[in-house]
Amino acid sequence: MSSWRHLSRVIVMQSYFEHLLRGKDIKGILEYNLKEYGEKIQDTDFVHHLITKMKENQKRIDKLIHKHAPEWPLEKMDPVERVILILGICELLYPEKDVPVNVAINEAIELAKTYGDDNSGKFVNGVLNAVAHDKTLKIKLK
């Protein structure tokens, strides 16, 4: 996957993280972060669509996190891991045409390894693989 897509996911993750913790306007946060850090992003529509889908579907995604990680209540979950799971699950449920399931999962794992603690990558991998294989969701594995 191109590096601009990875940078896009980083900006989306950081913007959503700030939105969840501070409760500020997600679009304003995103626009600021795109201006400051997104000069190499070739398609800002990808960023806008992803963050919009995350916001619109957060309740459904939170239920899936609870279902597939029941030992970790959302309010006790590391906020970085939670945002990465929201992003990853969003990409599984509402994929872009050219983003295969394994790429969405691998990108989320890389974000977890970079921005989480030593176990974040394994945790995110486990939850996203459980969601991807949840037969009730009918995710098309490629």
Side-chain angles (χ1 to χ4, degrees), residues 56-120:
E56 289 174 352
N57 297 288
Q58 185 178 336
K59 287 182 184 178
R60 179 180 185 208
I61 293 169
D62 283 347
K63 288 178 185 177
L64 288 170
I65 294 169
H66 177 71
K67 177 181 178 181
H68 294 288
E71 65 283 358
W72 290 101
L74 294 175
E75 62 277 359
K76 292 187 178 181
M77 186 177 289
D78 180 291
V80 171
E81 291 174 354
R82 181 176 178 209
V83 170
I84 293 168
L85 286 173
I86 293 168
L87 188 155
I89 293 170
C90 185
E91 285 203 90
L92 294 177
L93 296 178
Y94 313 103
E96 294 289 323
K97 290 179 249 181
D98 60 341
V99 180
V101 169
N102 64 328
V103 171
I105 292 172
N106 287 339
E107 283 286 323
I109 292 167
E110 288 306 312
L111 289 173
K113 287 178 180 177
T114 302
Y115 296 98
D117 65 26
D118 292 342
N119 296 313
S120 294

